[in-house]
């Protein structure tokens, strides 16, 4: 084990193995086989990379994802490891050289695509070489039931037949029992040790909010407040919506690129490449995007529509935070989503049996959005895993949802559906409940009904929330024809008759952000913000010079540690997680320089940077343009401008566009809520998110005595 630890520390720069990594590594080093189920971001790669290094010979890694091979190999080369890949992207000459290197024992690891591995030519090469182990990545591709089935994987059992003495490891992040059994069976791994990890992703904060019509504004605010400069994925149901949202976010000054099956291959490839290689790119996509994307620093995944099952939700949100750093899974959905999905299910031409399963899955997903207990507990329970305590890192744990006794309201809603003949949609029903004497209501004579106006105590918005929950919980069903009309279900009887009481969730106005676990670092500290941005710029520059994505140079986790510890010399730099000997040698100097400059300007208290922003502002650039040019966050630029307002160098109305009334509202709230701690969150919340942080910040600056 000493050799393994030695590689872990000196080559990879990590201090300890994670939970099962050590056992798995040991099993392979001793020549045994392993089947590993570990969630995304769990640390599967080290499980075969370290044994490949410790054992003599070359480790052969079979991976179906050509795009990933390149990044993985670059990352290993950065660590000074002799890694290479063989796939269809190489020309004959390059492939030849790699093959020679393999035979001559010059490679530590070789990544190959399954279709190449199973050719007789390649098997011949293997027989002439010394092989340390076979790693079969994404092993669920062997399963014919899964959506990633690859016929070539079936043939991989030949490894066992032809190379019985070489240890094998199969790895996947797909959790279910059926797939696991199939992997063992088809790959002839019946006697392998099994390692099954928890599928919890503790660094992901799950947040789901109800939206009326302003989901995209909520999304924009979420990104601006919590994820400026971060990479993220926004999922939408339709291509059209993808295009609209991408354009809209772009108009708001973000870099948002569309991705869906209707775009040309070239555009898709370009957008994906930019997502991998640049900082702060947002991909707006249908679910077509994501398979085979192995970007570790996706800081948020946002859903603007409901996923169709819990499996889909887990998989899609799972693309956030693969590096183990805080990430957000954010979702906004509304009544219309529920209706659309129910209709899609009802009208689908699929087989009855299949439809029933799909429907059940959707029901479970809907139920999940409406629960008021811990989301993580519910999510894991769905995958048969028990989490003992509420997690403390989901919206329901952080801002417990309130419930109310909706028995009477539900009775009213259900009888309204019944009395009007079970053939109207939500909007009409709400008109009747709230006593709208409009033409249609009069035409049908529904103003004569006993239910007319019995629901005036709630407004239309509240009724929509009630209807949504009644549909989600299956007390009401949507028609098959697609007009959105509602009818009663069997289950609603007890509620309708007043025999069952019903608690519903009070919809909060917005998903409030969590305090724990959502951010990589504290954004309210301006000077740390600057350091963060400088470190990222330094990383990007080096990445460009090396023609690799930034995360291949250092993961966010390492950058965050750099901020926290601010190493001053090589020795301290080496102690950072993710810094081994090679990276120390190559990059320490550049990063230490950045840190040194930062602490230098801290000591001097220089405000040059404020002056720079001011100068550009006076030149007529707006905040987004200044931020882009200076590679700063716009929030940082606003802080600079607020500073100038405070010093009397700028007037409030030069920076923000507010009328007298708005200014007064903010003033009053500032005076009554601001606790002087410099944190604006309380004020922002008290104003119900009506104004942006930076607006409040500037108004406050104008209030302060200059
Ligand atoms: P997976 O393949 O399971 O999705 P990776 O192998 O890509 O996960 O690892 C996820 C992240 O965790 C990477 O950033 C990796 O560098 C980091 N990591 C893995 N093992 C360790 C460890 N023992 N200590 C610190 N970081 C680790
Ligand atoms: Zn929770």
């Amino acid at each position: 084990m000493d050799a393994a630890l030695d590689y872990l520390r000196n080559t990879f720069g990590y201090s300890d193995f994670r939970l099962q990594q050590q056992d798995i590594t040991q099993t392979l080093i001793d020549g045994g086989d392993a089947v590993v189920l570990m969630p995304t971001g769990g640390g599967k790669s080290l499980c075969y990379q370290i044994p490949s290094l410790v054992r003599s010979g070359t480790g052969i890694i079979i991976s179906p994802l050509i795009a990933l091979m390149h990044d993985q190999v670059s990352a290993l080369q950065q660590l000074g490891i002799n890694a290479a890949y063989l796939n269809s992207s190489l020309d004959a000459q390059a492939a030849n050289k790699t093959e020679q290197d393999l035979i001559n024992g010059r490679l530590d690891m070789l990544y190959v695509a399954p279709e190449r591995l199973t050719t007789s030519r390649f098997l011949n090469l293997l027989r002439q070489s010394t092989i340390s182990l076979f790693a079969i990545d994404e092993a669920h591709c062997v399963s014919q039931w899964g959506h990633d089935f690859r016929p070539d994987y079936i043939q991989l059992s030949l490894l066992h037949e032809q190379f019985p003495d070489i240890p094998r490891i199969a790895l996947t992040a797909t959790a279910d029992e059926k797939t696991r059994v199939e992997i063992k069976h088809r790959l002839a791994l019946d006697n392998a040790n099994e390692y099954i990890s928890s599928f919890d992703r503790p660094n992901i904060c799950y947040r789901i909010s109800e939206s009326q019509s302003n989901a995209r504004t909520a999304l924009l605010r979420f990104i601006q407040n919590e994820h400026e400069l971060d990479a993220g994925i926004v999922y939408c149901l339709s291509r059209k919506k993808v295009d609209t949202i991408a354009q809209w976010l772009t108009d708001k000054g973000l870099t948002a690129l569309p991705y869906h099956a209707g775009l040309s291959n070239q555009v898709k490839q370009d957008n994906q490449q930019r997502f991998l290689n640049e900082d702060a790119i947002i991909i707006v996509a249908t679910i077509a995007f994501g398979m085979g994307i192995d970007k570790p620093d996706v800081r948020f995944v946002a859903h603007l529509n409901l996923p169709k099952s819990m499996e889909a939700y887990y998989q899609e949100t799972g693309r956030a935070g693969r590096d183990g750093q805080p990430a957000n899974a954010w979702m906004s959905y509304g009544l219309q989503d529920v209706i659309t999905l129910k209709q899609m299910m009802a009208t689908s031409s699929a087989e009855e049996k299949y439809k029933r399963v799909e429907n059940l899955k959707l029901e479970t997903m809907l139920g999940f959005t409406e629960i008021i207990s811990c989301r993580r507990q519910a999510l894991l329970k769905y995958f048969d895993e028990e989490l003992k305590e509420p997690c403390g890192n989901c919206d329901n744990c952080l801002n417990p949802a309130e419930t109310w006794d909706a028995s009477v309201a539900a009775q009213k809603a259900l009888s309204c559906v019944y009395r009007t003949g079970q053939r109207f949609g939500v909007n009409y029903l709400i008109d009747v409940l709230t006593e709208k004497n409009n033409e249609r209501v009069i035409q049908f004579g529904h103003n004569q009904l006993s239910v007319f106006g019995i629901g005036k105590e709630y407004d239309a918005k509240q009724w929509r929330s009630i209807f949504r929950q009644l549909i989600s919980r299956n007390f009401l069903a949507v028609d098959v024809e697609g007009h959105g009309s509602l009818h009663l279900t069997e289950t609603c009887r007890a509620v309708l008759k007043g025999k069952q009481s019903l608690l519903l969730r009070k919809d909060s106005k917005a998903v409030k952000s969590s305090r724990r676990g959502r951010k990589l670092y504290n954004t309210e500290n301006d000077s740390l913000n600057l350091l963060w941005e400088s470190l990222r710029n330094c990383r990007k520059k080096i990445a460009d010079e090396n023609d690799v994505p930034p995360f291949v140079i250092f993961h966010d986790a390492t950058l965050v540690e750099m901020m926290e510890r601010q190493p001053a010399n090589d020795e301290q730099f080496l102690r950072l997680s993710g810094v081994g000997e090679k990276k120390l040698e190559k990059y320490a100097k550049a990063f230490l320089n950045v840190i040194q400059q930062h602490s230098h300007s801290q000591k001097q208290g220089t405000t040059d940077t404020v002056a720079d922003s001011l100068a550009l502002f006076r030149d007529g650039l707006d905040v987004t343009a200044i931020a882009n040019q200076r590679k700063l966050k716009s929030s940082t630029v606003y802080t600079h401008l607020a500073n100038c307002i405070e010093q009397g160098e700028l007037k409030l109305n030069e920076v923000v566009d507010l009328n007298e009334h708005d200014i007064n509202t903010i003033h009053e709230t500032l005076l009554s809520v601001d606790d002087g701690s410099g944190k604006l969150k309380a004020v922002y919340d008290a104003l119900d998110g009506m104004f942006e942080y930076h607006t409040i910040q500037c108004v406050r600056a104008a209030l302060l005595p200059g």
Side-chain angles (χ1 to χ4, degrees):
M1 212 58 216
D2 286 352
L5 262 180
D6 196 47
Y7 279 115
L8 179 76
R9 294 188 176 146
N10 297 331
T11 306
F12 290 90
Y14 299 133
S15 50
D16 296 292
F17 278 112
R18 283 186 187 156
L19 294 170
Q20 298 192 317
Q21 282 175 335
Q22 180 149 11
D23 288 347
I24 301 168
T25 308
Q26 191 62 56
T27 298
L28 289 172
I29 292 174
D30 295 344
D33 296 336
V35 172
V36 172
L37 272 70
M38 222 186 243
T40 303
K44 286 187 282 299
S45 335
L46 280 187
C47 297
Y48 53 81
Q49 287 168 343
I50 289 189
S52 291
L53 295 169
V54 174
R55 289 175 61 91
S56 67
T58 306
I60 305 290
I61 296 116
I62 299 132
S63 161
L65 307 164
I66 293 186
L68 301 194
M69 287 186 194
H70 181 77
D71 285 345
Q72 291 249 20
V73 167
S74 310
L76 289 168
Q77 287 170 345
Q78 288 289 330
L79 300 171
I81 293 168
N82 288 320
Y85 59 84
L86 273 179
N87 61 38
S88 53
S89 74
L90 291 183
D91 60 33
Q93 200 186 354
N96 244 325
K97 170 162 188 310
T98 303
E99 290 176 3
Q100 286 312 310
D101 284 349
L102 171 66
I103 295 178
N104 295 329
R106 280 198 290 261
L107 295 176
D108 296 317
M109 274 169 250
L110 176 63
Y111 285 72
V112 286
E115 58 274 14
R116 179 168 299 241
L117 182 110
T118 49
T119 59
S120 52
R121 176 187 161 81
F122 191 77
L123 291 169
N124 255 330
L125 280 175
L126 288 181
R127 273 184 222 104
Q128 299 168 54
S129 319
T130 315
I131 306 301
S132 59
L133 58 82
F134 290 109
I136 303 160
D137 207 3
E138 314 287 345
H140 58 278
C141 291
V142 81
S143 161
Q144 275 169 319
W145 303 111
H147 37 62
D148 293 338
F149 175 59
R150 304 266 300 218
D152 293 303
Y153 263 67
I154 298 275
Q155 293 183 44
L156 292 179
S157 59
L158 62 77
L159 293 176
H160 171 63
E161 289 141 23
Q162 304 196 12
F163 305 93
D165 299 330
I166 297 176
R168 290 173 303 145
I169 173 173
L171 311 104
T172 178
T174 300
D176 65 281
E177 165 94 26
K178 201 164 150 186
T179 313
R180 179 168 36 119
V181 172
E182 220 178 334
I183 290 174
K184 293 187 77 166
H185 174 66
R186 293 202 187 271
L187 296 177
L189 279 164
D190 300 288
N191 298 322
N193 286 344
E194 264 185 46
Y195 298 91
I196 303 174
S197 302
S198 161
F199 272 71
D200 187 16
R201 305 282 311 277
N203 59 317
I204 299 181
C205 178
Y206 297 101
R207 294 153 58 178
I208 299 179
S209 75
E210 198 279 329
S211 71
Q212 294 283 335
S213 50
N214 57 352
R216 66 180 192 180
T217 317
L219 172 70
L220 178 67
R221 199 154 281 164
F222 161 70
I223 298 176
Q224 285 177 333
N225 287 337
E226 303 185 35
H227 290 291
E228 250 199 311
L229 294 194
D230 285 344
I233 306 175
V234 177
Y235 283 115
C236 307
L237 210 55
S238 69
R239 295 175 190 185
K240 190 163 152 262
K241 189 158 171 186
V242 164
D243 289 330
T244 321
I245 297 289
Q247 187 56 50
W248 190 75
L249 290 174
T250 306
D251 293 343
K252 299 289 171 193
L254 300 169
T255 315
L257 308 173
Y259 191 103
H260 57 67
L263 297 168
S264 74
N265 282 340
Q266 189 59 46
V267 171
K268 281 193 290 193
Q269 209 179 340
D270 287 352
N271 289 354
Q272 177 170 330
Q273 214 49 43
R274 285 190 64 190
F275 181 61
L276 286 176
N277 289 342
E278 293 176 30
D279 282 331
I281 302 275
I282 297 162
I283 285 274
V284 185
T286 56
I287 49 172
F289 181 81
M291 302 265 174
I293 302 281
D294 195 9
K295 186 174 165 63
D297 54 355
V298 176
R299 296 267 69 88
F300 71 91
V301 167
H303 279 95
L304 283 180
N305 291 104
L306 271 182
K308 64 181 185 357
S309 65
M310 296 285 275
E311 284 89 349
Y313 178 73
Y314 180 82
Q315 190 176 46
E316 286 152 28
T317 55
R319 291 175 184 141
R322 296 188 57 134
D323 54 7
Q325 294 298 296
N328 273 309
W330 183 98
M331 175 157 102
S332 180
Y333 77 105
L335 175 61
Q336 195 49 48
D337 279 304
V338 178
I339 293 178
T340 313
L341 278 169
K342 288 253 175 182
Q343 278 171 345
M344 271 168 56
M345 290 291 159
T347 53
S348 126
S349 58
E351 241 180 274
E352 246 348 276
K353 187 175 130 208
Y354 177 77
K355 242 160 79 173
R356 263 207 309 280
V357 174
E358 295 291 288
N359 222 334
L360 204 68
K361 290 195 165 183
L362 177 64
E363 298 293 340
T364 315
M365 184 66 220
L366 277 173
F368 177 72
T369 61
E370 306 280 0
I371 57 165
I372 51 175
S373 54
C374 174
R375 302 244 190 237
R376 191 179 314 274
Q377 280 182 320
L379 185 61
L380 289 172
K381 182 149 178 274
Y382 181 81
F383 295 109
D384 289 328
E385 197 179 317
E386 191 196 355
L387 184 69
K388 291 243 156 51
E389 298 291 324
C391 75
N393 192 27
C394 73
D395 53 355
N396 287 345
C397 282
L398 293 161
N399 305 290
E402 288 175 53
T403 54
W404 61 294
D405 184 345
S407 313
V408 175
Q411 254 174 309
K412 289 180 179 177
L414 295 171
S415 31
C416 185
V417 172
Y418 184 69
R419 299 272 165 212
T420 51
Q422 312 199 52
R423 55 201 175 92
F424 292 93
V426 173
N427 292 333
Y428 183 84
L429 294 165
I430 293 177
D431 283 351
V432 174
L433 284 166
T434 55
E435 207 171 36
K436 291 267 158 30
N437 246 317
N438 62 31
E439 223 173 279
R440 269 188 95 204
V441 174
I442 294 167
Q443 181 198 333
F444 287 111
H446 289 156
N447 51 349
Q448 306 297 326
L449 292 176
S450 59
V451 288
F452 187 63
I454 52 165
K456 278 183 296 189
E457 66 272 42
Y458 307 116
D459 62 17
K461 192 175 157 189
Q462 288 163 316
W463 276 117
R464 287 181 78 81
S465 160
I466 295 166
F467 274 107
R468 188 195 75 240
Q469 298 189 59
L470 289 174
I471 300 169
S472 297
R473 295 212 194 171
N474 238 349
F475 293 119
L476 285 173
V478 185
D479 70 323
V480 186
E481 290 78 32
H483 306 302
S485 68
L486 299 178
H487 55 269
L488 304 182
T489 63
E490 268 311 299
T491 34
C492 84
R493 213 174 283 264
V495 175
L496 184 61
K497 298 239 164 87
K499 287 188 187 139
Q500 182 189 336
S501 63
L502 184 67
L503 285 184
L504 291 184
R505 180 187 176 102
K506 263 191 205 168
D507 286 330
S508 57
K509 288 175 194 102
V511 208
K512 300 216 178 98
S513 58
S514 64
R515 284 171 195 288
R516 210 197 84 190
R518 89 189 147 83
K519 269 268 164 188
L520 289 172
Y521 58 96
N522 169 18
T523 43
E524 301 206 12
N525 183 326
D526 197 31
S527 128
L528 275 186
N529 262 333
L530 264 181
L531 176 58
W532 176 246
E533 284 156 30
S534 316
L535 289 172
R536 281 169 60 117
N537 291 340
C538 176
R539 175 176 67 175
K540 177 80 173 100
K541 188 164 160 273
I542 296 174
D544 287 347
E545 284 163 9
N546 285 271
D547 201 18
V548 293
F551 57 79
V552 167
I553 303 299
F554 282 128
H555 275 184
D556 282 356
T558 308
L559 248 49
V560 169
E561 265 198 56
M562 263 183 231
M563 298 233 302
E564 286 166 358
R565 300 209 201 158
Q566 306 202 5
N569 53 42
D570 279 7
E571 195 196 326
Q572 293 171 359
F573 199 83
L574 187 59
R575 276 192 227 131
L576 300 172
S577 176
V579 179
E581 279 157 4
K582 269 283 170 311
K583 289 194 173 173
L584 175 74
E585 181 189 314
K586 286 200 261 192
Y587 308 130
K589 191 152 166 249
F591 286 93
L592 285 172
N593 248 334
V594 170
I595 295 165
Q596 198 181 8
Q597 270 176 18
H598 170 79
S599 64
H600 188 67
S601 63
Q602 281 263 290
K603 280 194 203 102
Q604 301 212 321
T606 47
T607 50
D608 285 358
T609 174
V610 175
D612 289 348
S613 292
L614 179 62
L616 291 171
F617 190 74
R618 290 230 161 101
D619 283 347
L621 271 65
D622 67 10
V623 170
T624 314
I626 300 174
N628 280 341
Q629 179 165 339
R630 301 200 57 204
K631 294 214 165 63
L632 297 175
K633 293 186 183 190
S634 358
S635 59
T636 307
V637 177
Y638 271 116
T639 303
H640 294 166
L641 298 182
N643 216 308
C644 299
I645 295 175
E646 195 179 328
Q647 302 301 324
E649 293 182 69
L650 284 173
K651 291 213 171 52
L652 178 61
N653 61 11
E654 288 179 87
V655 183
V656 292
D657 187 20
L658 287 175
N659 61 34
E660 205 56 35
H661 177 261
D662 287 345
I663 295 179
N664 283 335
T665 310
I666 300 175
H667 264 189
E668 279 161 23
T669 316
L670 273 166
L671 293 174
S672 61
V673 181
D674 191 3
D675 57 1
S677 68
K679 299 210 166 128
L680 288 172
K681 177 142 182 18
V683 183
Y684 176 83
D685 285 345
L687 286 163
D688 256 353
M690 261 187 317
F691 300 98
E692 313 267 0
Y693 270 103
H694 68 251
T695 310
I696 305 170
Q697 190 183 18
C698 290
V699 173
R700 185 179 62 180
L703 266 184
L704 294 168

